[in-house]
Amino acid sequence: MPTSLDLSRRPAPQPRPKSLSGLSIPALKAEMEALGLDGKQAGMRAKQLRRWIHHFGARDFSMMTDIAKELRGLLAERYVLDRAEIADHQVSSDGTQKWLTRFGPGIEGESVYIPDVGKAGALCVSSQVGCTLNCTFCHTGTQALVRNLTAQEIVQQVLITRDALDEWPSAEEGRLLTNIVFMGMGEPLYNLDNVAEAIETISDGDGIAIGRRRITVSTAGVAPKIPELGQRTNAMLAISLHATNDDLRNELVPINRKYNLAELMDAIAAYPSLGNSRKVTFEYVMLKGVNDTLAEAHDLVRLLKGVPAKINLIPFNPWPGTPYECSTWETIEEFADVLNRAGYASPIRTPRGRDILAACGQLRSESVKKSAAEKRREALAGGEAGA
């Protein structure tokens, strides 16, 4: 006769060990103090761990030969050096790579490595899963915000890319990953504490060692936070602009209804240390029949007068269901010519990774859409069923 189980006698599920990969120095020190080390010892061990994890890319505590064997054993009992789970990894025909990273149940974000950008290659990282801004031309804007990413989760996107590129230990020369851009999912200035902590870790010269002048943070225009970003991070600033008047920008970038162009330009003027060697990058997506006239090119010149600026013209990257089209190449070149003649460097950004939806404005978490792997499996199953 079946009997009911006494569930109270079942052992409680054990929590997964915490990963130290991607943690900042203060966070590592706090973990060492939790192990019972005093302040000075905890600080020293935190710096040793930082170097092993973020300079050498260590995945095993046994590698850490300058840490006492007993402590290494304790670390191995309490912690792991795992990265977040890679749910999907795609490689474009042009060499662009995209990772779908699962940070927890239903918490998935995308990051994109673009070769031959910046000094050698750039990684576009996400700061949130989803977004609250609802920019109408951006695929990410169609996904509701799930949550902010932690500083550790942001840094782990860099570690995952370094793993894939086999770039351990960190080197001064010959790197494939040289630049970090906060241009992935989310609005970085709505997660500024974690973004600032992540930048501190990424730029640490004894760790990942990507300098702050090679780290760019892009905002859609959270004006009150822009000067604070510069004061706290000393990172390069990019503005997701896309329109030269408030009426159109209200439509394309709805945050403009809260912080209009006048407020945005005042905030930019207050960004620390702007000059010819430290320019603001303005991103301007080219939308056919929407914002691409020569009159608007001249308006853009007037809007940016006196601002040390570079203007990235971005051919619109289509995504499923979008109402927009990309401007013609001739129109984009004529627009760029107006800006160049006014003295602004205005490169036309070559679309990269379109075939894997990794191009600018195309990121959208697999939390709310089927992964490419699932689609391939379904397509294969469908083909077999029809055979």
Side-chain angles (χ1 to χ4, degrees):
M1 182 174 179
T3 58
S4 60
L5 295 175
D6 184 358
L7 298 181
S8 65
R9 294 192 178 187
R10 283 188 177 182
Q14 295 300 307
R16 293 182 64 186
K18 183 172 185 176
S19 177
L20 299 182
S21 292
L23 289 183
S24 65
I25 285 282
L28 287 170
K29 183 180 179 184
E31 295 297 333
M32 295 305 98
E33 289 174 339
L35 289 181
L37 278 65
D38 64 29
K40 187 175 180 180
Q41 276 286 318
M44 181 185 73
R45 296 306 184 191
K47 290 177 181 177
Q48 288 175 311
L49 285 168
R50 172 272 318 273
R51 185 157 176 81
W52 281 109
I53 297 167
H54 296 155
H55 176 77
F56 291 106
R59 304 292 294 271
D60 190 324
F61 290 107
S62 66
M63 293 176 59
M64 303 179 181
T65 52
D66 59 351
I67 296 177
K69 187 175 181 179
E70 183 181 356
L71 179 55
R72 276 184 274 155
L74 181 58
L75 290 169
E77 287 177 12
R78 302 284 185 90
Y79 302 103
V80 293
L81 297 173
D82 296 347
R83 319 305 193 211
E85 178 188 353
I86 299 172
D88 194 31
H89 176 216
Q90 299 178 63
V91 182
S92 167
S93 58
D94 63 23
T96 298
Q97 299 188 54
K98 182 173 78 168
W99 289 269
L100 172 69
T101 304
R102 183 171 295 130
F103 300 104
I107 310 297
E108 297 173 343
E110 292 187 325
S111 54
V112 177
Y113 170 72
I114 311 162
D116 306 315
V117 170
K119 186 177 178 183
L123 178 66
C124 180
V125 299
S126 294
S127 55
Q128 298 178 312
V129 173
C131 191
T132 60
L133 298 186
N134 302 312
C135 298
T136 57
F137 56 86
C138 179
H139 199 199
T140 309
T142 66
Q143 178 186 349
L145 179 69
V146 178
R147 70 162 170 83
N148 287 339
L149 291 177
T150 67
Q152 181 181 28
E153 290 166 341
I154 294 169
V155 174
Q156 285 204 356
Q157 295 171 65
V158 182
L159 303 185
I160 286 168
T161 305
R162 276 270 178 88
D163 291 342
L165 297 175
D166 195 23
E167 290 218 305
W168 302 113
S170 297
E172 293 295 326
E173 300 297 331
R175 289 185 182 183
L176 296 174
L177 174 57
T178 55
N179 293 67
I180 304 294
V181 292
F182 284 80
M183 297 180 184
M185 299 170 63
E187 167 52 62
L189 298 195
Y190 281 152
N191 188 20
L192 183 52
D193 287 345
N194 285 311
V195 166
E197 184 178 343
I199 289 173
E200 185 72 26
T201 301
I202 294 166
S203 63
D204 185 339
D206 288 325
I208 296 170
I210 295 176
R212 292 171 190 262
R213 291 213 170 193
R214 296 198 177 278
I215 300 173
T216 300
V217 179
S218 177
T219 175
V222 186
K225 292 284 187 179
I226 287 173
E228 183 184 349
L229 170 71
Q231 292 156 6
R232 293 180 63 178
T233 71
N234 204 30
M236 304 298 284
L237 175 66
I239 302 294
S240 190
L241 187 64
H242 315 301
T244 60
N245 63 79
D246 283 324
D247 287 343
L248 180 56
R249 198 164 191 270
N250 287 346
E251 176 187 334
L252 297 178
V253 188
I255 195 175
N256 195 76
R257 298 169 192 162
K258 189 171 185 180
Y259 307 114
N260 65 22
L261 281 169
E263 292 175 85
L264 176 59
M265 298 310 294
D266 285 345
I268 292 166
Y271 200 78
S273 305
L274 292 183
N276 287 333
S277 63
R278 193 174 179 81
K279 296 180 178 181
V280 181
T281 298
F282 289 88
E283 298 153 337
Y284 196 96
V285 66
M286 299 298 294
L287 302 170
K288 185 177 181 179
V290 176
N291 65 351
D292 61 353
T293 66
L294 294 184
E296 282 163 308
H298 288 289
D299 287 342
L300 183 54
V301 170
R302 284 189 284 270
L303 179 66
L304 302 186
K305 184 178 181 180
V307 180
K310 168 187 172 184
I311 305 162
N312 277 344
L313 298 181
I314 305 170
F316 173 67
N317 296 302
W319 41 269
T322 178
Y324 296 108
E325 296 179 48
C326 182
S327 305
T328 66
W329 197 257
E330 180 183 9
T331 296
I332 298 173
E333 288 185 325
E334 290 174 348
F335 197 101
D337 187 54
V338 171
L339 304 179
N340 287 325
R341 283 190 279 108
Y344 291 102
S346 304
I348 301 171
R349 186 184 292 175
T350 303
R352 304 289 295 273
R354 275 182 170 177
D355 56 330
I356 58 171
L357 289 180
C360 182
Q362 290 185 320
L363 300 188
R364 189 167 188 257
S365 170
E366 301 291 345
S367 300
V368 291
K369 65 183 175 71
K370 291 180 180 177
S371 72
E374 288 176 310
K375 290 177 182 176
R376 287 193 293 269
R377 286 194 294 270
E378 288 182 359
L380 181 62
E384 290 173 347

